[in-house]
Amino acid sequence: MTEESVFEESSGNVFADLGLEDAEELFTRGKIGIVVLHLLKQRNLKQREISKLLGIPQPEVSYLMRGEFQRFSEGKLLTFLKRLDTEITLHLRPRHAGTQTGETVVSL
């Protein structure tokens, strides 16, 4: 006897799919944090060097490198991008009628 697999289509935001209240904020932090992490890994820096570059204590670098982006505000993560010489462009527009949440776009 085999069990039938059940699949549920994702909304594109795992935090919303889990029913978390601050899902959009967590999703945005995750998207920004992944870009920060990608840029840091490209530079192949030691945690001590990252600490100095980003202006945060070494234990916070450990959280960042483990992907614990919920520990940092969106503003702090954007500051990290600035310190990594990344140009940040913010596009603001009204939501489309009928949608409950806005869209966050982060790209390299």
Side-chain angles (χ1 to χ4, degrees), residues 43-54:
R43 293 184 183 205
N44 201 29
L45 301 171
K46 297 188 183 319
Q47 287 198 3
R48 180 179 67 253
E49 297 168 312
I50 294 170
S51 172
K52 186 174 180 179
L53 176 65
L54 299 182

Side-chain angles (χ1 to χ4, degrees), residues 41-84:
K41 287 186 176 191
Q42 279 183 333
R43 293 184 183 205
N44 201 29
L45 301 171
K46 297 188 183 319
Q47 287 198 3
R48 180 179 67 253
E49 297 168 312
I50 294 170
S51 172
K52 186 174 180 179
L53 176 65
L54 299 182
I56 58 174
Q58 192 280 324
E60 288 187 28
V61 173
S62 293
Y63 297 137
L64 182 65
M65 300 309 285
R66 287 195 305 258
E68 296 182 30
F69 308 127
Q70 76 281 4
R71 293 181 172 267
F72 303 93
S73 69
E74 291 172 26
K76 187 81 157 180
L77 291 166
L78 291 171
T79 298
F80 296 163
L81 287 177
K82 269 180 66 176
R83 291 183 178 170
L84 290 165

Side-chain angles (χ1 to χ4, degrees), residues 9-39:
E9 189 171 337
S10 172
S11 69
N13 180 338
V14 67
F15 303 107
D17 294 342
L18 292 171
L20 300 177
E21 286 182 33
D22 52 352
E24 196 60 38
E25 183 179 336
L26 290 169
F27 190 61
T28 300
R29 285 183 193 185
K31 288 173 103 174
I32 298 168
I34 287 169
V35 174
V36 170
L37 196 54
H38 176 76
L39 293 170

Side-chain angles (χ1 to χ4, degrees), residues 80-92:
F80 296 163
L81 287 177
K82 269 180 66 176
R83 291 183 178 170
L84 290 165
D85 298 320
T86 303
E87 183 177 309
I88 301 168
T89 305
L90 206 52
H91 294 275
L92 304 173

